[in-house]
Structure formats: structure tokens, C-alpha cells
């Protein structure tokens, strides 16, 4: 699909102007047809917001995670069925970070070491910033989860001059005792490196960092997010790390080290690769990305 800009949607298909009179027989079939259409619309048709054809990486296909067959899509829970569940969405970086370099460069304690408060994030070669991508996807994901009854909190909503710092991002999820937390990012790797990956917390017990209680549930959350993301977006796990599983474990990220609730990071694609950038800047693909994350989170919360 040709590049249409980061905030635009692909043109919607035109409806046929032809209308034919309904016969008595056809009229009798209308209730069944409407029911079938309702099922189709629930899973996303071409006229849905973000429901257009996804730009699928060449030669990619949904792959099972860790050699296991992907689970069949489970029915979406009824509206309100996640009532009482709390999800924290952490849109990586902040669109205004670049205006506050001294503040985001100050060091904070992430348990195992000291690290910069935050960074500006990466950008596409055309200059569209990761921070705008993450906030857009976070809004889409929030809407999907709230429709299911979950209480959703964002760590930032473009409503502060910079940050929050990585330690505060973790603290926000801890304070609300989130049932699940996800930090949304896009990578800035070399051209030719394609695909998404989900980062899991490794086992850390050092200083203020103690991930021992969240390693297992975070791994489960991560696997479900990977499966949902592959199934809905049609994109493959990263070809440059994770051995094709879409899963990477790290012990150097303060947002994970300081978390006391199940949490993962997702790098949705590589902004520095032209093919991945075409996906990341597509509104319809971002909607599918949010839907894939939502399916994984909902599956995790339902147990």
C-alpha cells in the first residue's frame, strides 16, 4: 500500500449504487443475513475503523510462538465482563521530551543501576516520532479495553511537559495494583531488521528491584500478546532477535525491574526500516496492532 501519512486512513471502498427490489423470499432471509453481518462486523470488516487490508511484510506468515501452535481465537468477552480489572498502558516516551533534554537526561535509580529519566525515542526516516506512534496506539488500546469494562490508566497522555521518568512509569502501575501493564514502543534498529517483539522481565533481585513474583505471570502475558498480535496484524515476529518467537527477556529496563505487577514491553516494529515504517504510519494497521494487544491482554485477564 502506498504511504498516505501517519495520521491518515486508507480510502474506504465505495458502495455500489445498484439497488434491486427485494422479493418475498429474500425478505424472509433478512433476519438471518443481518445476524451473519453482525458476526462479521464484530470481528472487523473492511469498513471498520482500522479494518482495511494490513500491509503484510513480504514472505511473512503468522508463526507459532516457541514452537507451539497458536490458540484458536477465543470469543471476545461481553461488554462489562472485565469490570474490576485494572490495566495500565504506558505510551513510551513523551512527544515533548525533546524540549526538555536536561530533565530527561537526569539519572534515576532503576534498582540495579542508574539510568536516564527517559529519552526522546526514535523516529521514522521521514521524521515521524515514536512518541506520537505510542500515544496513538495507547488511545486505541484504551478504547478497546474500556469497552470490555476494564479500568484503564495511561502513564501519560501528552498532558505533561516531559516524562514521566522510567521509575515513575513503573510506580504508576504498582500504585493502582494493575492486573496487567504494557509499555508500547517502536524500535530504531537497522534497515532490514523487521517485525515486532515483546520484552519480558528477567529474574532480578537487587536493590529496589525484585521481579521474582512477576516473572511467570509476565511471561504468560507476553506469550498471549504475541499470539494476539500475530493473529490480528498478520505480521511476523522480529527477524533480528528473539529466535523467531517474538519474545525477548531483559534485566536492564527500569520499567520492568521496578514493576510489582505483571508487565511487558512491546516493540511494534522497526521505524528505521521502510517496510515496517509503512505499517507503523498506517492508521488501519495501528488499529489492528491495538486489537492484537487487546486480545492478548483480555485472554490473560480471563485466565
Amino acid at each position: 500500500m502506498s504511504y498516505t501519512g501517519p495520521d491518515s486512513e486508507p480510502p474506504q471502498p465505495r458502495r455500489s449504487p445498484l439497488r434491486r427490489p427485494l422479493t418475498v423470499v429474500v425478505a424472509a432471509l433478512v433476519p438471518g443475513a443481518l445476524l451473519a453481518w453482525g458476526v462479521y462486523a464484530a470481528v472487523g470488516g473492511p469498513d471498520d475503523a482500522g479494518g482495511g487490508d494490513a500491509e503484510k511484510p513480504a514472505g511473512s506468515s503468522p508463526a507459532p510462538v516457541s514452537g507451539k501452535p497458536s490458540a484458536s481465537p477465543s470469543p471476545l468477552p461481553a461488554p462489562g465482563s472485565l469490570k474490576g480489572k485494572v490495566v495500565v498502558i504506558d505510551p513510551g516516551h513523551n512527544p515533548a521530551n525533546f524540549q526538555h533534554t536536561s530533565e530527561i537526561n537526569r539519572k534515576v535509580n532503576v534498582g540495579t543501576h542508574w539510568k536516564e529519566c527517559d529519552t526522546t525515542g526514535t523516529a521514522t526516516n521521514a521524521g515521524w516520532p515514536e512518541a506520537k506512534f505510542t500515544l496513538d496506539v495507547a488511545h486505541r488500546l484504551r478504547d478497546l479495553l474500556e469497552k470490555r469494562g476494564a479500568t484503564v490508566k495511561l502513564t501519560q497522555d501528552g498532558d505533561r511537559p516531559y516524562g514521566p521518568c522510567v521509575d515513575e512509569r513503573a510506580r504508576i502501575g504498582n500504585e493502582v495494583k494493575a492486573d496487567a501493564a504494557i509499555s508500547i514502543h517502536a524500535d530504531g534498529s537497522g534497515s532490514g531488521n523487521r517485525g515486532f517483539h515483546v520484552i519480558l522481565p528477567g529474574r532480578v533481585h537487587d536493590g529496589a528491584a525484585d521481579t521474582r513474583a512477576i516473572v511467570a505471570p509476565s511471561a504468560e502475558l507476553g506469550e498471549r500478546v504475541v499470539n494476539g498480535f500475530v493473529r490480528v496484524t498478520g505480521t511476523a515476529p522480529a527477524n533480528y532477535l528473539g529466535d523467531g518467537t517474538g519474545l525477548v527477556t531483559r534485566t536492564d529496563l527500569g520499567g520492568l525491574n521496578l514493576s510489582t505487577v505483571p508487565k511487558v514491553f512491546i516493540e511494534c516494529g522497526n521505524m528505521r526500516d521502510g517496510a515496517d515504517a509503512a505499517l507503523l504510519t498506517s492508521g488501519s494497521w495501528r488499529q489492528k496492532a491495538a486489537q492484537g494487544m487487546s486480545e492478548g491482554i483480555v485472554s490473560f485477564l480471563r485466565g
Side-chain angles (χ1 to χ4, degrees):
M1 184 177 293
S2 61
Y3 176 78
T4 56
D7 297 315
S8 60
E9 298 286 345
Q12 299 295 322
R14 298 176 59 187
R15 296 181 183 274
S16 169
L18 298 179
R19 297 289 187 271
R20 297 187 182 277
L22 295 177
T23 64
V24 174
V25 175
V26 172
L29 296 176
V30 166
L34 289 176
L35 177 59
W37 171 250
V39 174
Y40 174 75
V43 298
D47 289 332
D48 289 344
D53 293 339
E55 299 88 338
K56 188 175 181 181
S60 69
S61 60
V65 178
S66 303
K68 304 173 186 176
S70 298
S72 299
S74 57
L76 287 176
S81 65
L82 295 183
K83 185 175 181 180
K85 299 295 186 180
V86 179
V87 178
V88 167
I89 303 173
D90 177 30
H93 314 291
N94 181 315
N97 273 356
F98 73 97
Q99 298 174 327
H100 299 273
T101 55
S102 62
E103 289 91 344
I104 67 171
N105 284 332
R106 89 180 156 82
K107 300 292 182 68
V108 297
N109 188 343
V110 298
T112 58
H113 59 287
W114 290 75
K115 193 170 184 177
E116 288 79 9
C117 159
D118 201 0
T119 71
T120 59
T122 189
T124 64
N125 292 332
W128 194 52
E130 178 188 0
K132 286 190 175 182
F133 167 81
T134 64
L135 196 55
D136 177 88
V137 175
H139 289 161
R140 296 169 188 266
L141 178 57
R142 176 184 62 190
D143 292 346
L144 291 167
L145 292 172
E146 286 183 341
K147 285 178 182 177
R148 300 298 157 193
T151 298
V152 181
K153 182 174 181 60
L154 270 61
T155 59
Q156 60 92 10
D157 198 4
D159 52 356
R160 51 187 296 161
Y162 67 92
C165 298
V166 292
D167 57 338
E168 184 181 352
R169 289 173 185 269
R171 189 161 58 249
I172 289 169
N174 298 344
E175 288 177 349
V176 299
K177 295 180 172 58
D179 296 286
I182 186 166
S183 188
I184 301 172
H185 290 266
D187 210 356
S189 187
S191 179
N193 291 339
R194 299 199 55 195
F196 77 96
H197 63 279
V198 171
I199 304 173
L200 311 175
R203 185 181 177 87
V204 176
H205 184 208
D206 187 5
D210 187 355
T211 63
R212 291 174 295 176
I214 68 164
V215 167
S218 296
E220 181 183 352
L221 172 61
E223 289 184 4
R224 292 179 186 248
V225 169
V226 166
N227 283 332
F229 204 84
V230 168
R231 183 168 58 244
V232 177
T233 68
T235 54
N239 63 6
Y240 58 102
L241 74 177
D243 296 324
T245 66
L247 295 169
V248 176
T249 299
R250 290 177 60 174
T251 59
D252 62 319
L253 298 176
L256 295 179
N257 287 355
L258 298 176
S259 181
T260 59
V261 301
K263 184 174 182 179
V264 297
F265 278 43
I266 181 167
E267 299 278 0
C268 297
N270 178 17
M271 287 194 133
R272 293 296 187 174
D273 176 81
D276 268 13
L279 301 180
L280 298 167
T281 55
S282 163
S284 65
W285 188 88
R286 294 197 299 274
Q287 184 64 29
K288 290 186 176 184
Q291 181 67 45
M293 293 179 211
S294 174
E295 285 196 9
I297 293 169
V298 167
S299 175
F300 173 77
L301 293 178
R302 295 176 73 192

